[in-house]
Amino acid sequence: MIKEGKFGVNEAVCLVTMAICNKIFSTTPGYITRTIGNTGWYMTLISCATALVFFILIYLLLKRFPGKNIVEIYDASLGRAVGFIFSFLLMVSFLLSVGIYTREFTDILKIYSLPFTPPSVIIGTLLSVAAAAAFLGLETIARVARLAFYPALLGYLLILIFSSKNFEPSNLLPIFGYGLDKTVITGILRGSAYDEVIILAVFAGSLQGIGQIKKAGFISLLLSGFIISVGLLCFSLVFEYTSIQEITIVAYVMTRKIEYGVFFQRMDPLFLLQWIITTAIYISILFYTTVSIYCKLFRLQDARPVVIPIAVLVFSIAIFPKDFTSVVTEYVQGIRNYGNITFFIMPVIALIIAVIRNKRGETKCAD
Amino acid sequence: MSNLIKTVTGMFSYTEPRNKERGFELLDDEIEGVEAENTPQAANASDAISPELHVNLETIRQKFLISKNQDVIIREFKIGRKLRAYMAYIDGMVNKQTLDLSIFPQLMSRDVFEELEKECPVDYLIENILTVHEVKRSDKYSDIVIQILNGMSALFVEGCNECILIETKGYEKRNVEAPKVETVVKGSQEGFTENLRTNVTLVRRIIKNENLVTEMLPVGNTNHSNCAVMYLEGIANSKVVEEVKRRLKRIDADFIMGDGMLEQYIEDNSLMLFPQMISTERPDRAASFIMEGKIIIIGEGTPFAIAAPITFFGLFHTSEDYFLRWPGGNFLRLVRIFGLFCATFLPGLYVALTLYHVEMIPTELLVSIARAKEVVPFPTLLEVLIMETSFELIREGGIRVPNVIGQTLGIVGALILGQAAVAAGLVSPMLVIVVSITGLGSFAIPNYTLAIAIRIERFLFIFAGAVLGFYGISLMSVILTLFVCSMKSFGVPYLVPVAPKTKSNADVIFRYPIWALKERPDGLNTPNRKRKGNNPKLWISEDNPDDTDKGGKT
């Protein structure tokens, strides 16, 4: 099994929160508004609550097999054959996620910043960073996430605070959007927006016991819920819901609207740097998770030989969609809709089967 | 006629061409290898001293190549006018007054052998005759040769299979002067010198503690240099001390000179840009490192010491930070961090903004930049590279030229970079400002090795900005951060206590007031973390007895 090193709760929280919250800079806010109107800010809290429920179940599964990661648990709970399929599906989900998010990022960057740069260059360079991160290992990625998290959070909050000048409270009306039932149902179904919390189960062996996993999971989910909710609330306050639907990245346009006097205007550089850096780290996290699951799946001792082949695979996936519209409406939404199955439902199935078959891990590692 | 015959016969015969090259020519032939095998060092297999003086004498002659070496002195004499002996030392390395006044007169005196009964008088001489402060004995040539090379005098006596090594070091050395690289306004004005002993003493004079350990380790297989490893027993982590010594002992190199070479041999990762040890020429700073729990290595021949383990944040600290009151110290650190930002990113951001993201520049500023660039014939990247390269040339030239014309070079350089370049239409005035601020920023970085690393990185950011704009700069930042996060200095993560998070320290980026710096850095894992009592300002409680509890909580 590959050696991934150790990291603490703090790093874990930054890692997961950064992975989850990066969606606020994507096309997701616009798409949500198209579906449920201006109620995204509390819809996401429902999604967060849904993810919390699933995380509790994942935590129960991990608690049953202390010291083991999700791949080992699938094997122990379901048997090698079924466990392999489950782990493989998880790996494929991450592989598709990293490929599609890379493509989504590439297309947005082309729209706003690099219109003449070929997508393959953007994808290639981004994946080079992810591959370098994978070479350096999980400890390094966790440290980078920890290092970048607070400046990124500060930059994000600054953008929100500076945008307060453009807030229009009446934009929040009607308060139930397209209907409360629609908001609640969408909120539950979009629990997959928080599915990156499963990373903690993949790297369970790198955290110091199940207590830390629980702590990191709860903190990161609650923090992410707060960050995303506040962001969506500010978007709704600045733009009418009809406008948000038409905007590709709401956060970027909101930043461009900031203007205090003649000189203090155009905060786009702040946003752009923050967005690219957090996305590069986000893609690195997802990419390494894919590599890690693959290595655990095939019981490889060293992750480095598979980094480049997986990077090539991700590149192929990223280049596959024909246009930006299909990326946003088909692929990203496909991951959102079906992500629940691999990231949340499958661990629950594993838990149920473990209970039925009375499978448990050794208790000596339990804290 | 004879010449004609010679020419004709020469056409049908082969003769070795004469070497018509003038002067010395070093050829790669096999003689060098043979010579190496026949060196006197290789011939002498036995390392033990013989009781026969003439054998010793011959061995020493061979080892020091006396026939060629003219600065090795072998002084033959008779102890007490009876017993044959000789003294070997290197001219210029010893204090002649010590030899002339304290050693030779005593040894040659008639009264030496009044009470001597034993055959070998080594013990007797050490105990009764030699009136010098340090005397050692040795029976191995390998040890004796190194000690002679270090400035000691070796006394060989007839019939003794031991040699007396007498401390007579007395070579020329520079006086203690003010530091040249790490100058401060407030604080000590003493700097290290090239002499190892002096440097150790300078540190010892600051830390008057019996637990301060100085271990001397030999380094360099051929130049037989020494280095001192200094640490505070009970404060420094013993595992780190062992690791430092292990690495120093395992260096297999023929020549090592000073801290710069040592650093490269023992650092964790040679491929990284950033320094993994801190170099200082200030004894007070070296002492403060020791008090923090770090280990100091002082090499021979350079006025610097290196400290390990370090963190990235420590590279921004200077000794002045602690001599100033905390608001002033923190302000200076803030200025340095801003300097680092400018030195790293400014030219790259300028390139990215002007090439890719012009819409992000406020309109008035954009008009100003565009107007200035109108007359410049070069693309922005080339313009920046011209200026940056010129700046680097001036900086490098300024260091290499003699001090007298160094000032002139600076002025000429400033003229070329500034007014002349703009007037000639080679660069835009805006770029001159950018490069100037960048240069000032890099001068504000207190660590020279870090400053060089930043200079290299700056070019990476310029290229990244030119190729992919902000996207390139952001990716380059992430890559460099990844590498920095993966670095370690003697097992201590480079970005501790931020990444990985450890117990917070009151002196990382900003520092608290001096009385609040109660603990040593957590990342060093020192056995004794506490630096101060709960209330370092006890006088407050003495003045106001009611404040005792309050003080205890601080």
Side-chain angles (χ1 to χ4, degrees), chain A residues 13-38:
Chain A
V13 168
C14 295
L15 200 76
V16 176
T17 310
M18 199 170 245
I20 295 172
C21 293
N22 198 62
K23 293 180 196 79
I24 198 79
F25 298 139
S26 67
T27 53
T28 305
Y31 191 86
I32 290 171
T33 313
R34 222 169 292 155
T35 319
I36 53 161
N38 55 2

Side-chain angles (χ1 to χ4, degrees), chain A residues 29-31 33-34 37-38 112 171 178 235-251 253-254 257:
Chain A
Y31 191 86
T33 313
R34 222 169 292 155
N38 55 2
Y112 285 104
N171 287 344
Y178 294 167
F235 297 162
S236 295
L237 281 166
V238 173
F239 301 103
E240 286 183 11
Y241 72 93
T242 46
S243 309
I244 296 181
Q245 297 174 22
E246 304 302 322
I247 301 170
T248 315
I249 323 184
V250 187
V253 180
M254 191 174 84
K257 278 174 73 87

